[in-house]
């Protein structure tokens, strides 16, 4: 045990030095760490296999997730949700909609088309910059994503083998070279690269001595200059941008002028329809617009199960707020985080963007924990550094979950300033401004001197942030008229990756003892009741007693009106429990002979596995408590 | 009045002679007929303008439906649903899912990807035959859908003008010719066609005399041989098929080999995943698989508001049943409609396809009437004739709704035999058969003579229906082993067209008298509570009495936990009622001074406009009754 933990610590040190978004990581839950032998505990692919495989297998076996088009050999980057999976996804989406739209008065919904006018993607920047760097091998003509080309290289095998060398104190170049040669095929599909590595062994061992790290060796192997093709060792072209939007032609004429795109995010429709929604929903800034829907990205290398796929579903909120300068004019002072505002109560009119941003981070975390049941210690709140932020963004928080294949972004909460609406105003030539009565009134009594002082303050602030003084002046002049383009806070979540996180979090294998004292492994999905595909399963103890059976059917029908229920009449009760455990059903109700006598049933909880007798009359209220 | 009705009757006679799917029709609701002057009562575009315009206007004004990408000039064939529209659509989808999946034990859900392996569309036939006939003008190079090219021709203007001529007893060729010339531009964008019509006037007047119908003239104008280009009068190419699937490229390599398609229907994923779902859902034939999701068709001429758009949402069920021959072997006899089976009770094991098909027609009608509230007399159940049926289909019922722009298909219920699964079995080389224990057992005691007799009977039946004898023998041999490919009944509905039908059905303008005795027109959407975007609106009578206001907020928060609620505190109560009427909110609750005294509120119904006092404690139960 002690060894394992130590091993993990050093692994953490070694492997978290990578780029933030590609950090390799072992999930912190002891149940999985226990499974690693010391030798493989720091090889990620191995961990992935160990941890994700049983989940993938359960998902297939119990109808959560299938490969798209499986009978035709599958289709990379596309997945289908089976009977259990679509209930899980529906529950996630319904819970998000309920909390983000229906339970709030300051958020309106939108359901826009996936294919929109291509000018939207010009304005948003996607047409010009939503691209991955691609290179091609001049020899074998294979196309690869430049920054991922070497991912096919079997990192784990090399790391494992070299770690063994180091552990044994063996640093003899000749032996490593022989070993590389003999294991060449299993190391990678790219023998030439291994061969090349062989010629660079002195260099490699310098590194190994320096940091004692297999990772360093791998990085050397992975970044030769010039980098050869990982398949054939040939020379590669310079990386060129490849746009990730799926393109199609709308209308009958095959002409580039008729090109349109599948949306790569749902957010842009919200910006494009901002004025329509403002005019028709009786909302005023601050308010938000929420949308759930499919988005598409032509990922060059879709991977990590459903995590990075080419078709996925998003839940995005654009929450529009007043610019801080407008708040200052109206309220005299902008409330910032330094004022320690109470984020748990109702939002306040004088909150600045910083407080709104933090408010939404907290809202999203609370939803993850309290509604869909992701434990608070299972995710990390990562604040992007100034260098990582997009040029228009003021702040961005990634909520990262420790997936079996690494810590990855579950959702992001970005403060995007007025960038998007301004872009659409410029490109569509339609105003995206709002008129703010309170602002106009607040500015009315200001004399020329006050206006001048305010203008100079804003200009100084803007120019200190590298922004244009002329623009600052025009912005302030507009403010004095009561007009501005709202800023936006964007909490953006992925349905599929949240579903995957919930599956990973819920999955457990436990050794339990059955009634006869035999121990067995039970597989259980510990879903929060809110997202569980089935809420209640109803079992008649036996099926050959019409009275008992009929009573069970009555109870089933009664519960079915309110919740998604499952009827199971076959096999021993214990086996029926296990089937429900496997799909995460929180409650099972068994109707037996005693039911006919005293009107009670057995209610069995998934997690405690405890059974209690409860009267049928009290059943609905009891379940309601847990499920509402 | 009498005149108008007579006019309508003759209109019906004239205009219902067209092709079934393009029948022109005036809705039978008196409220709209009253608006037509005799002159325009038989011109469809006019009717469309009159009837659809206020609905389109309301939908825009109150946030039901916006043009996609409106700030960029819109994008033909794509629509966005605003805050009210997405609630309406969500409610429709949730009601369908609840009744089709969750309340049934014999249906499982699926949520498959929109982009699937292209082989699926080869197998389904869409790649080869899902096409519209297109022709191109050799002169101006415009592309048109051959069967709709002349739809741009302004039918109503010609019909109206010629009707005026006929009404005045004027049938003088010269005058019509002059008139045609002078009105040419306003008649159509196609002056050459009018000029051509001029040369054919003797022919045209023969027709007018014959049937007294402007339609006949229009039809003559619309079908010259060879048909000229409606834009420039040039010659047109022969119609060629244009595939309506949107094509894209998956992966980084722009190669036709990487072409994939946006699904033109959700159904095919269900067939492709049939074995996965069967294996993982504990279902046995008969059972169904349901799916809701977006589909895409590159319509050449999207039209009729949201009715025929390029991106739309479907709710499809594929209900798999045993072939009749298997039922006969198991049960000795197949129950057919001739046996007058009870379709309102539970499905019976010996039902044949005919009964299952009729059962689903009844289920769907009941859902339309009882759940989403479409009056039974507002739609027609149209049974396709033998000539109209697809070659593999045994029966198909269209449920047609009288839209303002004509009677159009709302949904279809097709008996598709084993066509789809067989196609996928052939193309994927993966078996789509099921093994049926009961069938195998039933066949076990059959001796050679009995098997021979049964085989001969099936062969005779199949060959009488033009099917292959060899295939019949193989099918029966398979049956004796307990194996078959299930047949399927497919109820397929469009979410958008149902939403539009519900909007058209719900829309009413009524003259009502306000408290002061003034009459005013109220616009109301009489939605069924189940689909209404907002269920309850809560109003504080005044907003400047903290106690009253606070009590109202409490009640609002309490109701909001259960239903989508709306808070409105501005304007006179009467105006607040009208705002809710316009979006179809069934209930309004007003909290006034009496509430503080006796704990009662005013509950006001949308349709009756009656107000009753009800205690806050009784409110939830009362609303629950109407809304559950």
């Amino acid at each position: 045990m002690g060894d394992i933990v130590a091993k993990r610590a050093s692994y953490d040190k070694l492997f978290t030095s990578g780029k933030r978004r590609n950090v390799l990581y072992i999930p912190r839950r002891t149940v999985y760490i226990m499974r690693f032998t010391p030798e493989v505990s720091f090889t990620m692919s191995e961990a992935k296999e160990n941890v994700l495989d049983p989940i993938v297998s359960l998902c297939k076996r119990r109808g959560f997730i299938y490969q798209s088009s499986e009978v035709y050999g599958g289709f990379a980057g596309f997945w289908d949700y089976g009977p259990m999976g679509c209930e899980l996804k529906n529950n996630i989406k319904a819970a998000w909609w309920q909390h983000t739209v229906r339970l709030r008065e300051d958020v309106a919904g939108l359901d826009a088309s996936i294919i929109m006018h291509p000018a939207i993607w010009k304005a948003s920047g996607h047409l010009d910059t939503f691209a991955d760097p691609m290179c091609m091998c001049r020899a074998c003509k294979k196309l690869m994503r430049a920054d991922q080309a070497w991912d096919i290289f079997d990192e784990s095998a090399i790391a494992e083998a070299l770690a063994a060398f180091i552990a044994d104190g063996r640093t003899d170049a000749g032996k490593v070279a022989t070993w590389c040669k003999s294991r060449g095929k299993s190391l990678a599909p790219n023998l030439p690269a291994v061969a090349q590595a062989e010629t660079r062994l002195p260099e490699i061992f310098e590194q190994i001595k320096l940091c004692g790290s297999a990772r360093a060796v791998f990085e050397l192997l992975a970044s030769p200059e010039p980098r050869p093709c990982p398949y054939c060792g040939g020379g590669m072209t310079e990386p060129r941008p490849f746009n990730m939007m799926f393109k199609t032609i709308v209308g009958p004429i095959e002409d580039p002028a008729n090109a349109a795109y599948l949306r790569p995010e749902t957010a842009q429709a919200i910006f494009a329809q901002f004025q329509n929604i403002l005019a028709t929903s009786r909302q005023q800034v601050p308010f938000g617009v929420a949308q759930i829907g499919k988005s598409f990205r032509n990922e060059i290398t879709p991977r990590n199960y459903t995590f990075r796929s080419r078709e996925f579903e998003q839940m995005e909120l654009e929450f529009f707020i007043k610019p801080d300068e407008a708040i200052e004019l109206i309220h005299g002072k902008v409330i910032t985080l330094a004022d320690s505002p109470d984020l748990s109560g109702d939002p306040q009119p004088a909150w600045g963007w910083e407080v709104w941003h933090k408010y939404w981070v907290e809202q999203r975390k609370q939803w993850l924990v309290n509604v869909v049941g992701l434990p608070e210690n299972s995710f990390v709140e990562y604040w992007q550094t100034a260098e990582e932020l997009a040029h228009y963004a003021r702040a961005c928080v990634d909520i990262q979950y420790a997936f079996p294949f690494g810590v990855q972004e579950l959702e992001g909460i970005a403060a995007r300033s007025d960038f998007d609406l301004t872009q659409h105003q410029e490109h569509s030539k339609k105003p995206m401004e709002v008129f703010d009565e309170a602002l106009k009134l607040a500015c009315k009594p200001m004399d020329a001197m006050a206006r001048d002082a305010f203008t100079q303050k804003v200009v100084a602030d803007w120019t200190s942030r590298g922004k244009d003084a002329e623009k600052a002046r025009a912005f302030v002049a507009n403010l004095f008229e009561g007009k501005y383009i709202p800023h936006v806070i964007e909490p953006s979540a992925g349905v599929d990756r949240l579903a995957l996180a919930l599956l990973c979090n819920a999955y457990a294998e436990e050794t339990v003892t059955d009634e006869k004292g035999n121990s067995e492994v039970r597989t259980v999905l510990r879903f929060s009741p809110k997202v569980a595909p089935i809420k209640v399963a109803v079992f008649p103890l036996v099926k050959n007693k019409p009275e008992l059976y009929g009573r069970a059917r009555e109870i089933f029908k009664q519960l079915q009106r309110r919740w998604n229920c499952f009827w199971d009449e076959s096999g021993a009760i214990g086996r029926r429990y296990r089937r429900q455990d496997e799909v995460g059903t929180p409650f099972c109700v068994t109707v037996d002979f005693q039911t006919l006598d005293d009107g009670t049933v057995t209610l069995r909880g998934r997690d405690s596995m405890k059974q209690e007798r409860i009267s049928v009359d009290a059943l609905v209220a009891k379940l309601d408590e847990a499920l509402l």
Side-chain angles (χ1 to χ4, degrees), chain A:
Chain A
M1 263 294 287
D3 277 345
I4 295 174
V5 171
K7 190 62 93 176
R8 217 199 61 189
S10 72
Y11 162 82
D12 281 355
K13 196 170 61 81
L14 289 176
F15 278 61
T16 49
S17 59
K19 272 183 249 131
R20 191 181 53 78
R21 276 169 198 273
N22 294 307
V23 166
L24 294 168
Y25 207 83
I26 282 188
R28 299 197 172 275
R29 288 188 301 164
T30 319
V31 57
Y32 296 129
I33 293 162
M34 293 296 292
R35 287 194 190 141
F36 302 131
T37 63
E39 283 72 24
V40 299
S41 68
F42 63 105
T43 66
M44 211 46 235
S45 309
E46 202 68 34
K48 181 159 86 183
E49 258 169 53
N50 275 354
V51 181
L52 205 53
D53 275 6
I55 296 174
V56 171
S57 157
L58 175 78
C59 282
K60 167 80 193 281
R61 190 171 77 247
R62 295 308 308 270
F64 280 91
I65 300 170
Y66 313 126
Q67 259 194 303
S68 168
S69 317
E70 197 186 304
V71 292
Y72 292 98
F75 204 45
F78 298 93
W79 299 91
D80 290 355
Y81 289 83
M84 290 298 138
C86 62
E87 292 294 339
L88 173 63
K89 263 184 80 174
N90 285 347
N91 292 342
I92 291 170
K93 290 187 278 180
W96 189 87
W97 194 260
Q98 172 75 359
H99 283 260
T100 312
V101 183
R102 291 190 176 173
L103 286 181
R104 295 188 71 101
E105 288 151 75
D106 57 359
V107 176
L110 179 70
D111 183 4
S113 60
I114 288 170
I115 297 178
M116 298 187 281
H117 197 294
I120 285 181
W121 308 112
K122 183 69 187 168
S124 71
H126 285 83
L127 210 47
D128 296 325
T129 63
F130 191 61
D132 274 339
M134 291 282 296
C135 40
M136 196 176 72
C137 171
R138 295 185 210 279
C140 71
K141 305 291 178 199
K142 277 207 171 64
L143 263 169
M144 284 153 274
R145 193 166 144 180
D147 57 340
Q148 292 177 355
W150 279 67
D151 286 7
I152 59 146
F153 200 85
D154 191 344
E155 175 186 356
S156 71
I158 294 194
E160 180 186 345
L162 287 178
F165 268 80
I166 298 161
D168 288 355
R170 290 188 288 166
T171 50
D172 178 49
K175 278 183 186 163
V176 175
T178 312
W179 175 86
C180 276
K181 228 168 186 169
S182 67
R183 295 277 306 270
K185 262 216 129 53
S186 71
L187 277 178
N190 41 12
L191 260 177
V194 173
Q196 193 202 12
E198 196 180 336
T199 66
R200 295 170 64 206
L201 279 173
E203 207 184 327
I204 290 171
F205 281 106
E206 212 43 54
Q207 284 294 327
I208 291 177
K209 271 184 257 162
L210 225 63
C211 67
S213 146
R215 168 79 180 190
V217 177
F218 170 69
E219 281 182 352
L220 263 175
L221 285 173
S223 57
E225 282 295 330
R227 193 182 262 210
C229 167
Y231 293 94
C232 77
M236 304 269 273
T237 60
E238 281 300 295
R240 273 201 312 206
F242 162 75
N243 197 294
M244 285 164 71
M245 289 197 290
F246 282 106
K247 190 159 78 177
T248 191
I249 297 286
V250 172
I253 304 168
E254 282 267 359
D255 188 300
N258 294 329
Y261 303 89
L262 306 196
R263 66 179 174 205
E265 61 172 43
T266 57
Q268 292 304 321
I270 296 178
F271 299 122
Q273 292 290 13
F274 171 73
Q275 290 290 12
N276 264 338
I277 297 167
L278 180 68
T280 63
S281 68
R282 309 195 73 223
Q283 295 284 359
Q284 286 184 316
V285 178
F287 79 103
V289 180
Q291 180 167 228
I292 298 178
K294 287 266 176 96
S295 293
F296 297 79
R297 296 181 185 177
N298 196 0
E299 297 280 353
I300 297 159
T301 42
R303 53 184 174 165
N304 290 336
Y305 198 27
T306 58
F307 181 82
R308 191 173 301 283
S309 53
R310 287 169 165 156
E311 176 175 337
F312 55 100
E313 204 154 9
Q314 292 185 299
M315 309 184 286
E316 293 196 303
L317 167 66
E318 303 301 322
F319 196 86
F320 299 99
I321 56 174
K322 303 181 192 199
D324 277 10
E325 293 86 348
I327 289 172
E328 190 179 337
L329 287 170
I330 300 169
H331 301 283
K333 175 183 168 14
V334 177
I335 297 176
T336 68
L337 289 178
D339 300 310
S340 308
D342 173 16
L343 296 176
S344 62
D346 285 338
Q348 297 303 311
W351 279 6
W353 72 265
E354 208 189 33
V355 181
W356 272 113
H357 178 246
K358 179 80 175 150
Y359 167 83
W360 275 111
V361 171
E362 293 307 313
Q363 287 287 313
R364 294 303 306 142
K365 281 160 61 187
Q366 276 170 38
W367 183 84
L368 286 171
V369 174
N370 299 331
V371 182
V372 297
L374 213 55
E376 191 137 25
N377 61 7
S378 73
F379 56 81
V380 177
E381 177 184 333
Y382 178 85
W383 288 72
Q384 289 189 14
T385 61
E387 302 83 61
E388 287 168 326
L389 286 176
H391 68 94
Y392 49 80
R394 290 246 175 128
C396 189
V397 164
D398 292 344
I399 294 182
Q400 302 178 330
Y401 179 78
F403 286 97
F405 43 80
V407 173
Q408 294 277 358
E409 186 186 337
L410 200 56
E411 63 174 281
I413 300 101
R416 296 176 61 87
S417 76
D418 59 358
F419 175 74
D420 305 276
L421 286 180
T422 302
Q423 287 292 106
H424 285 293
Q425 173 165 298
E426 279 170 15
H427 282 77
S428 71
K429 315 284 179 217
K430 299 282 191 326
M432 292 293 168
E433 287 171 347
V434 300
F435 174 72
D436 189 321
E437 186 73 45
L439 176 61
K440 171 99 184 184
L441 280 175
C443 295
K444 217 175 169 186
M446 287 174 82
D447 59 18
M449 212 156 74
R451 290 181 184 225
D452 204 44
F454 186 81
T455 307
Q456 282 181 26
K457 201 175 93 174
V458 173
V459 169
D461 174 42
W462 280 41
T463 48
S464 80
R465 288 190 283 124
K467 296 177 81 181
D468 187 58
E470 256 339 284
K471 284 193 176 157
R473 277 191 204 96
F475 165 73
V476 177
N478 231 6
L479 282 183
F480 292 150
E481 301 299 313
K483 290 186 287 188
Y484 52 78
I485 292 177
H487 285 224
V488 75
I489 308 293
E490 177 189 87
S492 168
V495 182
D496 308 82
R497 46 184 67 180
L498 179 53
L500 184 56
L502 292 174
L503 280 161
C504 292
N505 180 69
Y507 185 85
E509 291 174 20
E510 298 176 337
T511 303
V512 294
T513 312
D514 72 7
E515 308 103 56
K516 291 170 192 151
N518 301 323
S519 79
E520 58 165 347
V521 173
R522 98 165 169 148
T523 303
V524 58
L525 287 177
R526 297 186 187 281
F527 285 132
S528 134
K530 196 69 127 200
V531 299
I534 299 166
K535 310 299 186 198
V536 193
V538 179
F539 311 146
L541 182 68
V542 295
K543 52 181 169 179
N544 56 0
K545 300 285 173 197
E547 199 187 346
L548 187 156
Y549 190 88
R551 187 75 192 95
R553 288 296 298 173
E554 276 169 31
I555 293 166
F556 173 68
K557 284 286 167 195
Q558 187 192 345
L559 299 178
Q560 202 185 30
R561 279 192 68 203
R562 295 176 167 266
W563 301 293
N564 197 31
C565 292
F566 193 84
W567 172 264
D568 191 354
E569 60 185 46
S570 66
I573 291 290
R575 274 192 56 197
R576 294 186 229 172
Y577 284 153
R578 289 289 173 275
R579 282 183 207 132
Q580 295 306 314
D581 289 344
E582 255 197 350
V583 297
T585 307
F587 299 106
C588 293
V589 169
T590 303
V591 177
D592 55 20
F593 293 101
Q594 196 181 328
T595 309
L596 302 178
D597 285 341
D598 64 5
T600 63
V601 292
T602 301
L603 179 65
R604 183 259 195 186
R606 177 196 62 203
D607 298 338
S608 67
M609 293 189 283
K610 291 234 172 72
Q611 303 179 15
E612 56 171 316
R613 294 223 58 104
I614 182 169
S615 84
V616 174
D617 299 334
L619 191 59
V620 168
K622 173 98 181 178
L623 293 173
D624 211 29
E625 206 179 291
L627 295 172
L628 190 70

